[in-house]
């Protein structure tokens, strides 16, 4: 981008005109940029000549100086343009400002000597005046009268002397400059040491935080592992307990199945046949059972099952409370009925007949004491479940341990009937309960 001289144009032009005006006391002006922009502004101006101008140069900026000096040869005013680029300016800025030198030379026109300086050694007043003297092209002064070359001018000084006049200000500036740079180097070294110390402290702090974080994560991970191991152990124990309970249930079911398999007649099938209104065939039912079926057919309570266990309990209860009851007259002919007629009438009775022992005749239960239903207030024979049992079909009942089965009918040694906890009436294995 090009340099911008229009933003502060009036101030720049006024400072330039003061320097070129021989009647003005101002003999130098210093220009620089506004921040990092390309806008030129007036930095400073004064009447102290090159010595004062050099002190205003900044090593961290790009500056342009325009100064009026007197030619040592002719005594005429000469103008010096100094393009100053400090050592602290970054390379990118140097490259950009290098393109502005020509524009500044066109603005500060009339310069007899142009100096491109980077350090204070390049702007020593003596060196600048030597360049001005060489650029004048004339070795005379209009303000001095010329003397005859034949006139004796007195003794001449030694020829070839290397003597130089000592400039106190220059020596002071050099000393101050050396002290300044020595102090700057010390401060820079101190700053670097402080930065290294802070960096080391930050690194140690980060290491400490990392170690603490890793320790916490390790402790948390170990705690989670222990909790997980404990849960796995509890799960194993629970699985082993379930497996033991399952094996025990399988063993009990196997024992019940083995007891049932030892029977010659399956009570469940006979119960199903009763529900369908059928009775076992003549070939499956022995003659004694057929006679009992005939007697049951003539009974005033059709469908009532006879059981030696139930009959025995009813006989004991009747004998303790009242004299032995006699069978009804209608039942006498039924007992004397022939086995053939009993077999023919058995399907219409819709009942199941249990074979009675030979040594003890069956007792006929009174209908008021033996007919147990779900609606009666007397629950009849009751039992408590020892194990849980799940019904195989709708002719059986299900129950859990410690539940009560009411109105039990002991239709067989291995299988009884009664009302389950849910009110359903059906069969269940007798060795799964105990009477209460």
């Amino acid at each position: 981008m090009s340099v911008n001289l229009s933003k502060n144009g009036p101030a720049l032009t006024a400072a330039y005109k003061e320097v070129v005006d021989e009647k003005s006391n101002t003999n130098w002006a210093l220009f620089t940029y506004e921040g990092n922009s390309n806008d030129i502004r007036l930095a400073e101006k004064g009447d102290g000549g090159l010595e004062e101008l050099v002190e205003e140069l900044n090593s961290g900026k790009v500056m342009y100086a325009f100064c009026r000096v007197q030619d040592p040869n002719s005594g005429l005013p000469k103008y010096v343009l100094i393009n100053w680029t400090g050592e602290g300016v970054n390379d990118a800025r140097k490259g950009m400002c290098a393109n502005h030198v020509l524009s500044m030379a066109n603005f500060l026109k009339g310069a007899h000597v142009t100096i491109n300086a980077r350090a204070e050694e390049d702007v020593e007043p003596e060196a600048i005046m030597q360049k001005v003297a060489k650029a004048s092209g004339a070795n005379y002064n209009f303000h001095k009268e010329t003397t005859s070359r034949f006139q004796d001018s007195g003794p001449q000084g030694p020829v070839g002397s290397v003597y130089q006049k000592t400039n106190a200000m220059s020596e002071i500036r050099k000393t101050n400059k050396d002290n300044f740079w020595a102090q700057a180097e010390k401060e820079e070294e101190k700053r670097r040491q402080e930065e290294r110390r802070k960096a080391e402290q930050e690194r140690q702090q980060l290491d400490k935080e990392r170690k603490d974080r890793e320790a916490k994560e390790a402790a948390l991970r170990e705690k989670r592992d222990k909790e997980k191991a404990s849960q796995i152990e509890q799960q194993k124990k629970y699985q082993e307990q379930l497996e033991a309970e399952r094996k025990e249930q399988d063993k009990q079911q196997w024992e019940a199945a083995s007891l049932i398999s030892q029977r010659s007649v399956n009570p469940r099938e006979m119960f199903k046949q009763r529900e369908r209104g059928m009775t076992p065939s003549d070939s499956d039912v022995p003659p004694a059972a057929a006679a009992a079926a005939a007697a049951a057919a003539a009974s005033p309570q059709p469908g009532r099952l006879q059981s030696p266990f139930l009959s025995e309990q009813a006989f004991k209860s009747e004998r303790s409370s009242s004299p032995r009851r006699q069978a009804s007259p209608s039942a006498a002919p039924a007992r004397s009925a022939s086995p053939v007629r009993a077999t023919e009438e058995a399907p219409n009775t819709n009942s199941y007949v249990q074979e009675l022992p030979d040594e003890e005749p069956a007792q006929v239960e009174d209908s008021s004491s033996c007919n147990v239903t779900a609606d009666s207030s007397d629950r009849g024979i009751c039992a408590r479940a020892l194990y849980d049992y799940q019904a195989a079909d709708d002719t059986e009942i299900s129950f859990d341990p410690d539940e009560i089965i009411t109105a039990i009918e002991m239709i067989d040694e291995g299988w009884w009937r009664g009302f389950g906890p849910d009110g359903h009436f059906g069969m269940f294995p007798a060795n799964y309960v105990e009477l209460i």
Side-chain angles (χ1 to χ4, degrees):
M1 297 178 64
S2 61
V3 65
N4 183 10
L5 298 172
S6 59
K7 181 177 181 180
N8 301 311
L12 301 178
T13 304
Y16 168 73
K17 289 182 177 180
E18 287 183 11
V19 174
V20 298
D21 187 5
E22 296 181 5
K23 296 179 181 181
S24 174
N25 294 329
T26 302
N27 56 13
W28 63 269
L30 186 62
F31 308 93
T32 186
Y33 294 92
E34 289 185 351
N36 291 326
S37 65
N38 294 328
D39 300 333
I40 298 295
R41 66 178 179 84
L42 176 64
E44 194 64 48
K45 61 181 180 179
D47 56 359
L50 287 174
E51 288 79 5
E52 185 180 11
L53 172 63
V54 171
E55 293 179 359
E56 298 296 331
L57 295 176
N58 191 334
S59 62
K61 295 182 179 181
V62 177
M63 310 180 82
Y64 304 96
F66 191 74
C67 181
R68 183 179 73 236
V69 297
Q70 189 174 5
D71 189 355
N73 296 325
S74 62
L76 297 176
K78 301 290 183 180
Y79 300 99
V80 179
L81 174 62
I82 301 175
N83 297 319
W84 170 261
T85 303
E87 295 178 348
V89 180
N90 58 51
D91 296 339
R93 187 64 176 172
K94 289 179 182 179
M96 181 181 296
C97 295
N99 299 324
H100 302 163
V101 174
L102 183 59
S103 298
M104 293 301 299
N106 293 332
F107 176 72
L108 303 173
K109 55 187 176 180
H112 298 88
V113 176
T114 301
I115 298 175
N116 296 319
R118 291 179 178 272
E120 292 185 3
E121 292 80 1
D122 299 334
V123 290
E124 291 290 342
E126 293 80 3
I128 295 175
M129 293 307 297
Q130 289 177 5
K131 292 182 180 181
V132 172
K134 291 180 181 180
S136 64
N139 195 10
Y140 62 91
N141 192 338
F142 290 107
H143 302 287
K144 294 181 180 180
E145 296 181 358
T146 58
T147 59
S148 175
R149 53 182 170 177
F150 301 103
Q151 184 179 357
D152 185 10
S153 59
Q156 299 294 328
V159 179
S161 175
V162 294
Y163 171 77
Q164 290 183 357
K165 183 180 178 181
T166 302
N167 190 337
M169 294 299 297
S170 177
E171 292 294 331
I172 292 173
R173 282 197 299 271
K174 288 182 179 180
T175 304
N176 293 338
K177 181 176 66 175
D178 295 339
N179 294 335
F180 170 78
W181 286 113
Q183 184 67 22
E185 289 178 358
K186 289 181 181 179
E187 293 178 356
E188 182 67 16
E189 183 65 23
K190 186 183 296 185
R191 183 185 63 81
R192 291 177 181 176
Q193 291 179 357
E194 185 68 18
E195 289 181 354
R196 285 195 293 267
R197 185 181 62 81
K198 290 182 179 179
E200 183 66 20
Q201 290 180 353
E202 291 179 357
R203 186 184 63 80
Q204 292 178 359
Q205 183 67 19
L206 291 176
D207 290 343
K208 182 179 179 181
E209 292 178 357
R210 178 179 58 80
K211 290 180 180 179
D212 294 343
R213 183 172 63 254
E214 290 178 355
K216 291 180 180 179
E217 290 178 354
L220 183 61
R221 184 165 54 251
E222 184 178 359
K223 182 179 179 181
R224 286 200 301 266
D225 293 342
K226 288 182 179 180
E227 292 178 354
K228 188 175 182 180
S230 176
Q231 292 178 358
I232 293 174
E233 186 67 22
Q234 292 178 0
Q235 186 68 17
K236 286 183 179 179
K237 291 181 180 179
Y238 180 70
Q239 292 292 341
E240 291 176 356
Q241 183 179 359
L242 292 179
E243 186 68 18
E245 292 178 357
R246 186 183 62 78
K247 289 182 179 179
E248 185 66 23
Q249 292 178 1
D250 293 344
K251 182 179 179 182
Q252 293 175 359
Q253 292 178 1
W254 180 82
E255 290 177 354
S258 63
L259 291 176
I260 295 172
S261 63
Q262 294 176 1
R263 298 184 53 83
S264 59
V265 180
N266 190 352
R268 183 180 297 174
E269 294 296 330
M270 298 176 69
F271 179 76
K272 290 181 179 179
Q273 292 177 5
R274 175 199 176 282
E275 295 295 334
R276 292 194 299 267
M278 299 174 58
T279 58
S281 62
D282 295 340
S283 59
D284 295 336
V285 182
S299 176
Q301 299 177 4
R304 179 65 180 171
L305 298 180
Q306 302 295 331
S307 172
F309 306 101
L310 188 60
S311 300
E312 183 179 356
Q313 292 184 2
F315 174 73
K316 290 179 180 180
S317 61
E318 290 178 1
R319 187 174 58 181
S320 61
S321 61
S322 63
R324 186 173 181 178
R325 297 182 181 180
Q326 300 294 330
S328 61
S330 61
R335 290 193 185 94
S336 62
S338 63
V340 178
R341 182 174 179 78
T343 306
E344 293 175 356
E345 294 179 357
N348 297 327
T349 60
N350 194 20
S351 63
Y352 175 75
V353 179
Q354 172 67 36
E355 182 179 356
L356 303 177
D358 296 335
E359 64 274 11
E360 183 177 355
Q363 300 293 334
V364 179
E365 297 179 352
D366 187 32
S367 61
S368 62
S369 61
C370 298
N371 188 17
V372 181
T373 62
D375 297 332
S376 66
S377 62
D378 185 12
R379 298 193 300 175
I381 301 174
C382 301
R384 180 183 292 107
L386 297 176
Y387 316 104
D388 64 316
Y389 181 76
Q390 299 298 323
D393 51 31
D394 57 355
T395 63
E396 296 180 358
I397 62 174
S398 301
F399 50 81
D400 293 329
D402 295 332
E403 292 185 343
I404 305 300
I405 297 93
T406 59
I408 296 176
E409 296 181 4
M410 301 180 182
I411 61 176
D412 186 72
E413 270 184 37
W415 289 88
W416 295 350
R417 293 193 306 178
F419 287 96
D422 57 353
H424 182 69
F425 185 77
M427 298 173 59
F428 60 91
N431 59 345
Y432 275 53
V433 300
E434 62 176 357
L435 294 174
I436 57 174

